[in-house]
Amino acid sequence: MDVYGLIGSPVEHSLSPPMHEAAYEARSLDARYVTLEPDPDRIGEAVAGADAIGVAGLNVTVPFKQDVLPHVEPTATAEAVGAVNTITFGGDGAPEGHNTDVAGVVRAFEHHDVSIDGQSAVVVGAGGAGRAATYALADAGADTFVANRTVERAEELAADFSALGVDAGGLGALAERVPEADILVNATSVGMDAPDTSPVPADVLHGDLAVLDAVYSPLRTKLLRDAADAGAETVDGAWMLLYQGVAAFERWTGVDAPVAAMNEALRGRL
Ligand code: NAP
């Protein structure tokens, strides 16, 4: 049996176990997915130990996505984003660190037939999800602007991605940028467990936008309700969560992911 795992803290309410176990069942794979909370001071040992005992693959979540970087060989994408959420073992050298949140953003839009290349995109938020979303959109060819409450953090992010031509500003810039944009991503935690709050004023939303909210609890955030009222395409946070899991599953197993079964397992828990 292959054992996969998620390291993070807390992990007890993670939606990854039911999503991945639904995939193993649908593809008749003899595998299990477990959640683990390693000692924060021993992350390197945790990764090496998982490798040594034959763990087949690890997901990494908050607060360890940056901490694992020195203990893996990051892909170019993971290195650029500065975070790893998926580790593969079994090569000759160090475990490989991937960032499938980037694929999660791109494939969530693809699923909704939203093209990115050549479009104008605004990302709100410059934390972990903001970095992944900004990289995903800019690398896929969108002219990307990142807005953040703490403007210095957005400027740092834009400087890190200067080769991709990312621009940055504060939340005040949304009033000017969103009306001109084709794509909007909320990568802040605004709206999480707070169904009446949104990071973007409703009156700047419009019918030519595609809006992805990374927040998935609740699924229909105020931002997505406002966006639907404005006639925009809406993509909820479960699509991003689903497709980062799909990308991890495919990387670990080399098998096409049973997307519908994973989606059903995920949405059944939300
Ligand atoms: P993070 O690194 O802690 O970043 C939080 C971001 O939210 C920062 O940009 C922060 O701005 C901003 N923020 C927080 N409170 C705010 C407020 N009151 N007003 C304006 N901005 C505020 O968190 P994260 O890991 O990026 O996660 C952000 C959200 O994305 C969470 O809800 C998380 O669940 C979700 N997420 C979803 C997925 C998915 O697959 N769907 C994946 C990853 C994350 P400052 O820099 O100014 O503090």
Side-chain angles (χ1 to χ4, degrees), residues 13-35:
H13 299 300
S14 168
L15 297 164
S16 290
M19 177 169 64
H20 282 280
E21 295 210 328
Y24 307 148
E25 196 182 331
R27 289 289 180 257
S28 303
L29 298 177
D30 188 15
R32 288 292 311 276
Y33 188 103
V34 298
T35 56

Side-chain angles (χ1 to χ4, degrees), residues 6 10 13-16 19 61-62 65 101 129 186 188-194 212-221 224 235-242 244 266-267 269-270:
L6 169 68
H13 299 300
S14 168
L15 297 164
S16 290
M19 177 169 64
T61 189
V62 177
K65 286 184 179 187
D101 286 333
N186 173 37
T188 73
S189 47
V190 179
M192 190 165 67
D193 299 324
L212 165 65
D213 199 334
V215 171
Y216 52 81
S217 176
L219 268 182
R220 295 306 288 175
T221 57
L224 291 189
V235 182
D236 68 48
W239 292 110
M240 178 178 168
L241 190 60
L242 170 69
Q244 64 74 33
L266 183 60
R267 285 176 191 273
R269 302 294 198 291
L270 281 166

